[in-house]
Amino acid sequence: MIQSSLELIFQNVNELKKSKKVSLNGAINQILARDIFAVKNLPSFDNSALDGYAFNYDFVNKPLKIVGTIFAGDKSVYELSQNCAYRIMTGAMMPKASDTVVEFEKAVVENDMLFVDKSIKKHNAYRYAGEEVKAGEMLLRKGEVLTPDKIMLLASQGIDEVKVFTKPKVAVFSSGDEIVEPWQKASQSEIYNANSSAIEAILKDAKFECEYKGIIKDSFTDTLNAISSASNYDVIITSGGASKGDADFMAEALKELGYKAVIDSINVRPGKPTKCYKLDEKLVFILPGNPMAAFLICFLVVLPTLKKISSQKELNFTKIMAKFSGNIKFKDGRSNLVLGIYKDGKFSTINNNKFGSGMITPLVKANSIYISKVGESGLSDNDDIEIIPLY
């Protein structure tokens, strides 16, 4: 049910398509707005992969006269004569007619003569122009996230500025008269607002910025005013006020403001009361008030949606094949989010999958999650399953 809910949300999402230019130094974790093609070969010329001697393999097992040294950065063009060799440094341009490099450690040199036997393979340590990337080839695709290795690749092409997609502006609320902020003093009848901190952390860990807007009190007017105050955001995320309780005014307020329901619930445990509303290009997610449910739905539903809005190429989570350890049963008619620990190829549940959606400690203990299919009766020991790493 998670996947079908995501598909429905995706059908109602328009990618922002807004872009900007950023310097390479500021491009980390940004999303490419256009395809990038190589402008030059990588390597751009034939060169040595290590410090050694360049020679022609046709003359292996023969004494070779060392006629000079080639340093990295030397732009002169050298050419080997028969029965000759050059000392060469890492990255230096290979002399013409050479095809192999023997490293210093394996070279035998006597009186400026090099002796190489056939233990050295032909083309050893010879880096050919364009063997990694050829000019004109696709380098990176639109929608890819710019990671440090990709930034290095761009720099190797002399690219110092890239066009990237603008990420959505995200506002985060909590709701409920019973919650207070972690920096305040909670009475015995009050609870601390843990949800917003978790939601912010999940989003920021995935390189999305968000702004915390505070706690919405349980009244229709306060709810209406809070949502209205965030009208300049692309996505609003709230937790609490998602169920059918008398004090849950979120859906009522959104309808008053013209929002239309995209999903009214998700047939999953925990997280069933989750809702998503849309007005023009804006989305509002109403997550459950229970911490575990809010955390998991934010991770599994909100996060992929933000990636979709941002035109990110990879939307799906990385999945790992594992062997299930243990035996558990599921209730019919719903999907189940199973928290567990993945280690040495095996996935085992936390407390045999017995937890309440208001708990937090199972999240702390778990490092991965299994999503059961609707109608799946349970898991048996040694079953093959696909799991999603949480971290």
Side-chain angles (χ1 to χ4, degrees):
M1 291 301 293
I2 292 286
Q3 189 59 40
S4 59
S5 296
L6 272 176
E7 289 170 1
L8 185 56
I9 293 170
F10 286 176
Q11 290 170 16
N12 286 272
V13 162
N14 292 319
E15 298 176 5
L16 285 179
K17 297 295 186 184
K18 297 176 185 176
S19 61
K20 60 183 179 180
K21 284 186 176 181
V22 297
S23 69
L24 208 58
N25 289 338
I28 188 67
N29 299 318
Q30 298 294 327
I31 301 165
L32 269 180
R34 65 178 180 86
D35 294 338
I36 303 287
F37 295 87
V39 296
K40 63 183 299 186
N41 288 335
L42 185 65
S44 55
F45 54 86
D46 294 356
N47 68 90
S48 176
L50 46 77
D51 296 336
Y53 296 91
F55 67 99
N56 187 297
Y57 200 80
D58 289 343
F59 301 104
V60 72
N61 284 335
K62 295 181 180 180
L64 305 174
K65 182 174 178 57
I66 300 168
V67 294
T69 301
I70 308 174
F71 292 97
D74 187 342
K75 296 179 176 60
S76 301
V77 178
Y78 297 89
E79 186 167 0
L80 278 179
S81 300
Q82 284 192 2
N83 299 318
C84 291
Y86 276 95
R87 281 171 55 91
I88 193 165
M89 303 301 135
T90 303
M93 189 181 300
M94 293 289 292
K96 290 184 177 181
S98 67
D99 58 14
T100 307
V101 177
V102 56
E103 53 265 53
F104 288 150
E105 298 89 334
K106 294 183 179 179
V108 177
V109 178
E110 295 178 4
N111 299 321
D112 290 330
M113 299 296 291
L114 173 68
F115 299 86
V116 185
D117 60 38
K118 288 190 175 180
S119 64
I120 301 299
K121 293 182 179 179
K122 189 174 183 179
H123 306 301
N124 181 65
Y126 194 118
R127 291 193 294 216
Y128 289 89
E131 70 176 17
E132 187 175 356
V133 175
K134 289 182 171 57
E137 285 184 349
M138 175 76 73
L139 202 65
L140 297 172
R141 294 187 180 278
K142 181 176 75 172
E144 289 193 51
V145 177
L146 289 172
T147 50
D149 53 316
K150 293 173 184 176
I151 287 174
M152 176 183 276
L153 185 60
L154 291 171
S156 75
Q157 293 289 305
I159 297 170
D160 67 342
E161 190 178 67
V162 288
K163 201 170 186 180
V164 298
F165 285 117
T166 302
K167 293 182 181 180
K169 289 184 63 179
V170 182
V172 177
F173 290 96
S174 277
S175 68
D177 288 340
E178 76 283 9
I179 60 174
V180 298
E181 302 292 12
W183 54 88
Q184 298 173 326
K185 182 68 175 177
S187 68
Q188 286 298 106
S189 60
E190 294 174 320
I191 58 175
Y192 286 114
N193 175 19
N195 290 3
S196 293
S197 294
I199 291 167
E200 284 189 88
I202 290 169
L203 268 52
K204 290 177 180 178
D205 188 54
K207 317 307 178 188
F208 288 101
E209 293 301 318
C210 58
E211 186 175 351
Y212 177 56
K213 305 292 286 184
I215 297 170
I216 306 171
K217 294 300 181 183
D218 284 332
S219 80
F220 176 76
T221 301
D222 284 346
T223 304
L224 193 70
N225 291 339
I227 299 299
S228 299
S229 72
S231 60
N232 60 323
Y233 290 86
D234 301 299
V235 178
I236 300 171
I237 305 169
T238 75
S239 61
S243 64
K244 308 293 185 182
D246 292 340
D248 294 335
F249 299 105
M250 195 62 67
E252 184 182 351
L254 287 169
K255 289 175 182 176
E256 177 72 18
L257 292 169
Y259 283 82
K260 304 296 182 184
V262 177
I263 57 170
D264 191 51
S265 66
I266 301 177
N267 190 17
V268 65
R269 174 191 179 269
K272 185 175 181 179
T274 302
K275 295 175 174 57
C276 179
Y277 280 76
K278 180 184 179 184
L279 175 62
D280 299 325
E281 304 301 316
K282 302 180 187 300
L283 282 183
V284 176
F285 285 98
I286 310 173
L287 306 185
N290 282 319
M292 183 183 293
F295 184 102
L296 292 175
I297 296 300
C298 182
F299 181 76
L300 294 169
V301 177
V302 177
L303 204 53
T305 303
L306 292 180
K307 292 179 180 181
K308 175 70 173 176
I309 294 172
S310 304
S311 303
Q312 193 165 321
K313 185 169 174 278
E314 297 296 333
L315 303 179
N316 296 325
F317 293 101
T318 300
K319 293 185 178 180
I320 299 173
M321 291 302 300
K323 291 286 186 182
F324 183 69
S325 179
N327 290 278
I328 58 173
K329 299 295 183 185
F330 299 136
K331 287 187 178 179
D332 292 336
R334 70 183 184 196
S335 178
N336 295 268
L337 305 182
V338 182
L339 289 168
I341 298 171
Y342 174 73
K343 185 177 180 181
D344 298 330
K346 293 185 177 182
F347 176 84
S348 55
T349 62
I350 304 294
N351 195 29
N352 205 34
N353 203 41
K354 295 177 181 176
F355 58 81
S357 61
M359 292 181 174
I360 298 174
T361 52
L363 290 168
V364 176
K365 295 176 182 177
N367 64 11
S368 49
I369 186 170
Y370 171 70
I371 305 174
S372 76
K373 301 175 181 63
V374 175
E376 189 174 1
S377 60
L379 292 173
S380 299
D381 195 50
N382 220 37
D383 279 351
D384 290 316
I385 58 173
E386 276 189 337
I387 59 172
I388 298 171
L390 284 171
Y391 309 107

